[in-house]
Amino acid sequence: MKVLVIGGGTGGLALAHGLKRAGIEVTVFERDALRTDGLHGYRVGIDPDGSRALHALLPSELYDTFVATRARDPKYFNMLTEDLKEVLSFDLPPVTDPVASEKSISRMTLRQILLTGLEDVVEFGKEFTHFEQGADRVTAYFADGTHATGDLLVAADGAHSRVRRQYLPQAKTEETGIVAIAGKLPITDESAGLVPPKVFEGITMVNAPRGLACILHVMEFQWDRDGNVKHGIGGNTEELIRRWPGLQFDNTRDYINWGLSATADKLPADIMDLRGDELIEVAKRLTGNWHPDLQKLIGLTDPGTCFPVNIWTSVPLEPWQTTNVTLLGDAIHTMTPGRGVGANTALRDAVNLCRQLIAVRDGHQQLIAAVRDYEAKMIDYGFDAVIKSRAQMTADDPVHKPVVGRLALAGMRTAMRAVNHLPPVKRRMRDSMLAYRGADRDELTLDITPARITS
């Protein structure tokens, strides 16, 4: 059996690791010309679902390197007003399980982790154009005139998937009406002093009038600005970071990351064409009546890190006829960042598909039947996540309306402040949030069977 994976994102690379370890031939075709192309240093939260999937798919030492290269664990989840007054704040439980736990990691670092050990699997500079299906084989064609033939083609080429457009033309994506501006700035004495201690040590949401929202992440790693292991880091962690070849390709350093979102009608019509200082000025105008420290924070942002994001979402669709082409991650269930589970759902796809293909390898299942079983499960949880993520981030939310929005914001703040003074209720809210992200989910419900993925 030979598997062709189109796209070297989180889900596609994780799948390739699992298949390689299972002895299944796999090739990943990545449009970027080099492993250093297309790198972004923004945070991704790996929840217990995603962490379990990586633990099942990656070689054990590489998983340990993933854990060692994460940012320090946040201690708090905060909700603040635009003048930095606390609405709600609860402690995040300390990590006791190295696998079934939340982890903050730079997207750049995660990509370099996933590329490590796949040097013989990933082909760079491969821009997919189209595929052709035969009776039991499928051929992928690329812009450089080459092609590759295998038994299964997996679309892992993201929200604008060319594979999906050809294979499932009925699968639609649509705008949510929300546009975000993202940026980051290095942690210095000045920038660190602009946020309260709980913000510096936590994950923070700022909810403001007119439906404006801003998320703040503080990312501190175990290596310094020169890429050297920081003083006081020892034992196995130091050894893993020093030996990890991905560090030479990763320029991630300690930073504060912010993402400001608003409905498109509150932004310049050409917002998607703006970059750098222009975006910083837009963000400063939007937040003109916010706390001066937040204004200063935005002003200190590195212009080269700023970019706009038009938030799109998939439209759920009915199951399709299974063939030797399938999809995972954003290629099939693009979702808003409202719930923070996009990358984790892609990893869940990867481990479920890997398990099905191992069953084919072992003669327990025919290929098409195995892919059908994978798709049935993926469609169920994937589009459930799409719907719930959209509910958290859409222009239809009342908070974006001129008059009703102020009432909705005031009502939300009143409710959250009440919760903030009721510890048992606050704990239940926290536990519910963590449960959605897989904190208490049994491994078997994710079809993780590490014992069957052998080196």
Side-chain angles (χ1 to χ4, degrees), residues 107-122:
R107 288 185 181 273
M108 183 184 294
T109 304
L110 179 59
R111 186 170 188 263
Q112 294 300 321
I113 288 284
L114 293 174
L115 283 169
T116 300
L118 293 183
E119 291 79 8
D120 59 337
V121 169
V122 180

Side-chain angles (χ1 to χ4, degrees), residues 112-363:
Q112 294 300 321
I113 288 284
L114 293 174
L115 283 169
T116 300
L118 293 183
E119 291 79 8
D120 59 337
V121 169
V122 180
E123 294 189 18
F124 291 100
K126 293 295 183 179
E127 181 182 351
F128 171 84
T129 59
H130 66 286
F131 67 83
E132 293 179 357
Q133 291 174 282
D136 56 2
R137 301 278 278 174
V138 58
T139 300
Y141 294 86
F142 304 95
D144 62 1
T146 62
H147 65 274
T149 299
D151 300 283
L152 178 69
L153 186 147
V154 180
D157 50 344
H160 303 292
S161 171
R162 290 184 178 180
V163 179
R164 183 189 67 233
R165 286 203 298 268
Q166 177 183 348
Y167 185 55
L168 298 175
Q170 74 274 26
K172 306 298 182 184
T173 58
E174 61 185 17
E175 296 179 78
T176 62
I178 301 292
V179 175
I181 301 171
K184 69 174 185 174
L185 60 153
I187 294 178
T188 63
D189 290 342
E190 181 182 12
S191 62
L194 293 173
V195 295
K198 277 190 174 182
V199 174
F200 193 79
E201 297 189 79
I203 299 170
T204 302
M205 283 296 307
V206 176
N207 296 105
R210 303 172 63 218
L212 299 181
C214 184
I215 190 164
L216 295 166
H217 298 289
V218 177
M219 303 285 284
E220 290 187 294
F221 303 94
Q222 301 196 89
W223 55 91
D224 62 22
R225 290 173 182 264
D226 298 318
N228 300 312
V229 179
K230 289 180 179 176
H231 179 71
I233 307 299
N236 190 51
T237 294
E238 179 181 9
E239 182 183 1
L240 285 167
I241 294 174
R242 288 191 188 282
R243 288 191 332 206
W244 172 46
L247 190 61
Q248 64 185 303
F249 302 105
D250 190 338
N251 64 11
T252 298
R253 303 295 180 261
D254 296 348
Y255 63 87
I256 300 174
N257 175 207
W258 56 267
L260 178 67
S261 62
T263 51
D265 60 358
K266 297 182 179 71
L267 297 162
D270 62 345
I271 186 66
M272 297 306 298
D273 298 322
L274 304 183
R275 292 295 183 274
D277 288 322
E278 296 172 319
L279 288 173
I280 292 174
E281 288 305 311
V282 171
K284 289 171 69 175
R285 286 198 301 271
L286 281 175
T287 60
N289 61 347
W290 288 24
H291 194 285
D293 285 349
L294 290 175
Q295 283 268 294
K296 290 178 184 176
L297 197 74
I298 293 172
L300 289 173
T301 299
D302 176 0
T305 68
C306 281
F307 64 92
V309 183
N310 193 3
I311 308 297
W312 286 68
T313 183
S314 291
V315 178
L317 72 158
E318 295 298 315
W320 52 89
Q321 181 67 42
T322 300
T323 70
N324 55 4
V325 174
T326 192
L327 312 92
L328 64 73
D330 283 350
I332 182 61
H333 44 62
T334 301
M335 61 192 72
T336 81
R339 289 269 183 152
V341 295
N344 296 291
T345 309
L347 290 170
R348 199 170 170 182
D349 294 345
V351 78
N352 278 323
L353 180 55
C354 186
R355 182 172 188 261
Q356 292 294 338
L357 295 180
I358 289 171
V360 176
R361 179 204 67 184
D362 293 345

